[in-house]
Amino acid sequence: MIVLKNGVVLTNDKDDRVIWGGTVCITGNRITYVGDDTHAPAPQPADTVIDCEGSRLIMPGLVDLHYHTCISRGEGDWLPLMEWLDETWYPYINNIDPESAYHAAMASYCESIKAGVTCVNDMYRQLPSLARAAEDSGMRAVLSNDVMLRKFGHDNIDTAREAYEQCDGKADGRVEVYIGYEWMPKGSPELLREVRALADELDTGIHIHLNESLSEIEYSKEQFGRRPAELAYENGVLGPDCVAAHCVWLSDTEIAMMAETGTSIAHNPLSNAKLGSGIARVPDYLARGVNVGIGHDAAKCADSRDLWENIRAAAVYHRGARVDSSIMPASTVLKMATVNGNKALHHDAGSIETGRLADVVTVDLDTFAMTPLRWGDDQQLCSHLVYSNNGSYVLDSIIDGRIVMRDRQLTMVNERDVIRNATKAYLQMRERLGK
């Protein structure tokens, strides 16, 4: 059993309880006790005890709902989306080999773990390598291929089937495989139908890019006579098993389609801002009952895998854009990154409750970012987390009941080796590309 005692417990339960002086017990991969310290089970000699000493927050881990493993960053910062993809993204992923993909994923997942992320929804290539990285790092990962039309020589519908057969259920079930779809400039209505048919056959989910940029929408209208989200709806892709990334430019009709079908949206505010794609109408999506989570997209376009930065951006961008400080309250945004992300992926996590999956992190409260903190003030605590906190204050991470970070130290890998191997893989890739 793992015992986290003497902490502040942010439960995210239906009553939004915060226990100031609480204990969380974990047996196997499930939470078995949540409550005050005085009624907690007595630790046994074989138990692992983490004493939070009244200065650590115990909370659900974060879900990065739209994620791309990335081998490079810091290139093409001045380019808009279409040019950025063609000049700095596709050359790398078109030439990624299994070993480079493994090292890229290891660096990606480890950086995310250190920032409090316990699950990633990762669309990339070489899925067996990504599954191996998830197993070795301890990350919970939902993986999908970048499925395109065959003429592009990239991953296709057959690649997606093979990846599912090879990888789904790996790492003691922490790895799942969805069917990915790149976007309409690399696809077609027929491919959308193939993706839906395969997802239904395999009883798995779909991960798709939709309405990220105005140029994408114009391309789709010119080629297919419909906007991307309209095509996804008409060809049966949308549904409660579908995560639609970005959705920056949804029309009122398309928002209604998302709500009607129960599709989840992954909001990526920093990537959308940096690439000049725009600001999604998230307050409108939430008002219509659409489930919205938060993602970082890729380190190449968001530069950081610290999801807390996107949490803060999701809280403040919409207030500025709408000149309204009452929207996107801190409590709503925090649940987007925990409860909503897990709901989108149908995971029994996102709250600290008995019986839930043990995807749990601790956050240091004894920092300037959390100062001053009045003991017992739930609202102030939530405000600090959303507006002041960052990933460097995450101290411990437990994924599926296993401690994968303790006091900022990764427990399953050598961090320095991961960094060096990722850099070596990147330099070798540049050499192969003649850069």
Side-chain angles (χ1 to χ4, degrees):
M1 186 165 68
I2 299 172
V3 179
L4 299 100
K5 67 176 186 176
N6 300 329
V8 179
V9 185
L10 179 74
T11 66
N12 265 358
D13 66 10
K14 62 182 179 60
D15 298 318
D16 288 330
R17 287 187 307 151
V18 178
I19 305 170
W20 296 81
T23 292
V24 175
C25 296
I26 296 167
T27 304
N29 69 344
R30 296 282 170 172
I31 297 170
T32 52
Y33 175 83
V34 182
D36 60 63
D37 293 324
T38 57
H39 295 92
Q44 301 302 306
D47 293 342
T48 299
V49 178
I50 298 176
D51 190 347
C52 297
E53 300 177 338
S55 63
R56 295 190 192 197
L57 174 73
I58 305 166
M59 66 170 288
L62 307 178
V63 175
D64 199 327
L65 193 56
H66 181 56
Y67 194 104
H68 297 289
T69 280
C70 184
I71 195 170
S72 67
R73 57 165 59 143
E75 299 176 354
D77 292 345
W78 57 91
L79 297 171
L81 179 61
M82 287 284 198
E83 290 86 344
W84 178 86
L85 286 168
D86 288 337
E87 295 185 28
T88 75
W89 180 256
Y90 288 136
Y92 283 99
I93 65 169
N94 286 344
N95 291 279
I96 194 80
D97 62 272
E99 194 64 14
S100 296
Y102 171 77
H103 293 306
M106 282 294 287
S108 299
Y109 298 164
C110 289
E111 184 177 350
S112 292
I113 287 171
K114 297 205 74 170
V117 170
T118 53
C119 178
V120 298
N121 187 29
D122 187 5
M123 181 190 289
Y124 201 60
R125 304 193 67 195
Q126 304 288 356
L127 265 57
S129 296
L130 271 59
R132 183 161 64 99
E135 183 163 19
D136 291 349
S137 66
M139 179 61 83
R140 187 183 300 281
V142 178
L143 308 176
S144 56
N145 296 90
D146 270 322
V147 172
M148 303 181 189
L149 292 171
R150 296 178 188 275
K151 67 180 182 180
F152 293 109
H154 198 76
D155 289 354
N156 56 51
I157 200 73
D158 292 334
T159 316
R161 179 188 291 277
E162 292 168 6
Y164 181 90
E165 293 170 348
Q166 293 175 27
C167 303
D168 189 67
K170 293 288 188 181
D172 298 320
R174 289 198 321 276
V175 171
E176 299 169 79
V177 176
Y178 277 18
I179 309 305
Y181 182 94
E182 176 66 344
W183 64 338
M184 290 313 300
K186 300 287 186 181
S188 69
E190 293 76 19
L191 185 58
L192 286 171
R193 291 193 291 272
E194 288 185 63
V195 164
R196 168 46 72 192
L198 182 58
D200 287 349
E201 177 191 338
L202 300 176
D203 191 23
T204 190
I206 293 172
H207 187 184
I208 184 173
H209 296 93
L210 282 179
N211 293 41
E212 182 176 357
S213 69
L214 291 172
S215 57
E216 169 200 352
I217 292 171
E218 289 307 308
Y219 176 92
S220 183
K221 288 164 62 178
E222 290 174 5
Q223 294 295 314
F224 309 115
R226 294 285 190 278
R227 294 161 62 89
E230 292 173 340
L231 287 167
Y233 177 80
E234 292 172 2
N235 289 281
V237 166
L238 302 186
D241 59 353
C242 177
V243 176
H246 302 297
C247 294
V248 178
W249 297 101
L250 292 184
S251 66
D252 290 344
T253 299
E254 290 169 316
I255 296 173
M257 291 172 177
M258 296 290 170
E260 173 197 331
T261 57
T263 301
S264 292
I265 291 175
H267 179 38
N268 307 271
L270 287 178
S271 170
N272 296 156
K274 185 183 177 188
L275 292 171
S277 298
I279 299 176
R281 296 169 57 188
V282 171
D284 297 335
Y285 308 162
L286 294 173
R288 289 297 304 268
V290 177
N291 184 59
V292 183
I294 299 177
H296 89 284
D297 197 7
K300 195 172 181 66
C301 52
D303 295 287
S304 171
R305 297 184 183 95
D306 185 347
L307 196 65
W308 292 100
E309 296 181 7
N310 275 282
I311 290 171
R312 184 170 188 267
V316 302
Y317 280 11
H318 306 284
R319 294 180 175 205
R322 302 200 178 197
V323 197
D324 183 355
S325 63
S326 69
I327 60 175
M328 302 295 287
S331 59
T332 295
V333 177
L334 193 59
K335 285 189 175 181
M336 288 168 61
T338 51
V339 174
N340 294 13
N342 281 289
K343 179 181 178 181
L345 300 173
H346 304 278
H347 290 166
D348 188 19
S351 62
I352 307 294
E353 297 181 88
T354 301
R356 292 296 185 107
L357 281 172
D359 288 0
V360 177
V361 300
T362 72
V363 177
D364 193 355
L365 299 177
D366 195 16
T367 64
F368 287 118
M370 305 298 287
T371 302
L373 178 61
R374 187 167 54 252
W375 190 262
D377 191 329
D378 299 357
Q379 184 279 323
Q380 188 186 46
L381 172 67
C382 188
S383 178
H384 285 342
L385 285 171
V386 171
Y387 299 118
S388 303
N389 191 53
N390 65 64
S392 68
Y393 300 133
V394 177
L395 297 176
D396 308 294
S397 178
I398 299 169
I399 301 177
D400 205 40
R402 175 184 292 180
I403 298 173
V404 299
M405 182 171 70
R406 180 79 181 268
D407 290 325
R408 295 293 299 163
Q409 296 298 310
L410 299 175
T411 63
M412 298 183 64
V413 298
N414 183 302
E415 185 173 335
R416 182 55 55 188
D417 287 346
V418 171
I419 292 170
R420 288 172 176 165
N421 289 334
T423 299
K424 181 180 178 181
Y426 163 69
L427 294 175
Q428 290 174 341
M429 175 68 77
R430 285 184 60 86
E431 185 175 349
R432 288 199 298 271
L433 294 173
K435 291 182 176 286

